[in-house]
Amino acid sequence: MTGDASAYARDVVAGRRPLRWSELEARAFGSFPDQLAAITVANGDLAGGSSRERARSFAAFAVMFAPLLLPPIVILAVRFPSAQGWWFAAAAAIALAHTGFRVLEWRRAAGSGPAPTAQEALLAVFEIVFGLIAGIIVVVATIFVAAPGGWLVAAALLVMCIACVVSIVVAKRAASSARTGVVQTSFERSVDSVAHLADAERSAIAAELTEAVDVLASAGVIDGERRAQALEAPLGGLARRMWAIDQAGRNK
């Protein structure tokens, strides 16, 4: 069973919704959450994608290198007891955020995404060292100074170190299978995702999209040329094709 692209097209004809090709396409993939998620990300990159990608890259960079700040942060926590709670909270937040970052690495590596590179594995080694140093400082402070929340921070640091160890193992396995550093764009990931659908599922989605486009064309929302352009789009690439055509028209 496919999505409700045709119902969305009828809402557009009735004036209840504006026509957005990305929304129409999403409705057709509504019963296939994995493909829908991949296509939504790919289509989201069409509008303002460059700034969004820069923001993601900066956030990933910050989370990746933040553990190197852990020793001075916990030293400040011990040195200034009045603000110890805030420093400990910062240390725990960094540890948990980095753990989440490493977990996402494993999930990408388990699928068709890139595995950790040799450089990222080397960075993980340093992060383990810095995490252990910070953890030892916290444990000592907790034992001898009775620092509130110290054991929780130490636990977060330990979990982070374990996550880094796992990433090193994943990187080594990926290197042996020559998968390290394989980087796909969001559109390439969406294409791979759609390719995993069964033939019957692909046919059903294509039929749903064709019906929706015909509803728009019959009501005069789009002309014959736009109908042909939409129907020529590859499955999962409708919004991208129509966006590219519109951009080409603007640049003339």
Side-chain angles (χ1 to χ4, degrees):
M1 181 179 179
T2 59
D4 58 343
S6 298
Y8 173 78
R10 287 189 287 272
D11 284 344
V12 172
V13 170
R16 289 189 290 269
R17 295 179 180 273
L19 173 58
R20 294 190 177 93
W21 292 107
S22 58
E23 177 69 14
L24 180 70
E25 189 169 42
R27 295 299 187 93
F29 282 88
S31 296
F32 305 94
D34 291 342
Q35 287 72 26
L36 175 60
I39 291 171
T40 299
V41 171
N43 289 342
D45 290 342
L46 297 178
S50 58
S51 60
R52 190 177 292 108
E53 288 296 333
R54 284 195 296 270
R56 289 194 193 116
S57 298
F58 178 79
F61 179 86
V63 172
M64 180 180 291
F65 286 90
L68 302 182
L69 300 175
L70 286 171
I73 287 176
V74 297
I75 289 173
L76 288 171
V78 175
R79 179 67 180 80
F80 299 102
S82 61
Q84 189 174 84
W86 292 105
W87 290 116
F88 273 176
I94 289 174
L96 294 176
H98 192 77
T99 299
F101 175 82
R102 293 297 181 179
V103 170
L104 290 177
E105 277 188 340
W106 313 340
R107 293 188 62 182
R108 288 197 302 268
S112 58
T117 64
Q119 292 79 8
E120 289 170 339
L122 179 60
L123 178 62
V125 172
F126 284 99
E127 289 163 346
I128 292 171
V129 173
F130 279 68
L132 289 175
I133 292 173
I136 291 171
I137 295 172
V138 171
V139 169
V140 170
T142 302
I143 293 175
F144 293 100
V145 188
W151 291 116
L152 294 177
V153 177
L157 292 170
L158 177 60
V159 171
M160 185 200 77
C161 290
I162 294 173
C164 290
V165 171
V166 175
S167 285
I168 294 171
V169 174
V170 171
K172 288 184 176 180
R173 289 179 179 175
S176 64
S177 61
R179 285 187 52 225
T180 305
V182 177
V183 179
Q184 288 183 310
T185 64
S186 59
F187 177 63
E188 289 170 338
R189 288 193 292 271
S190 71
V191 170
D192 285 349
S193 179
V194 172
H196 282 85
L197 291 170
D199 290 342
E201 294 170 333
R202 291 168 59 86
S203 297
I205 295 171
E208 173 76 13
L209 285 170
T210 298
E211 180 181 348
V213 170
D214 285 341
V215 168
L216 297 173
S218 298
V221 176
I222 59 175
D223 58 22
E225 181 182 6
R226 293 288 277 176
R227 176 185 179 277
Q229 291 169 342
L231 295 180
E232 289 171 358
L235 194 64
L238 172 61
R240 181 168 291 270
R241 173 172 171 77
M242 303 309 284
W243 175 84
I245 291 173
D246 291 342
Q247 290 296 111
R250 293 191 185 99
N251 293 334
K252 286 183 179 179

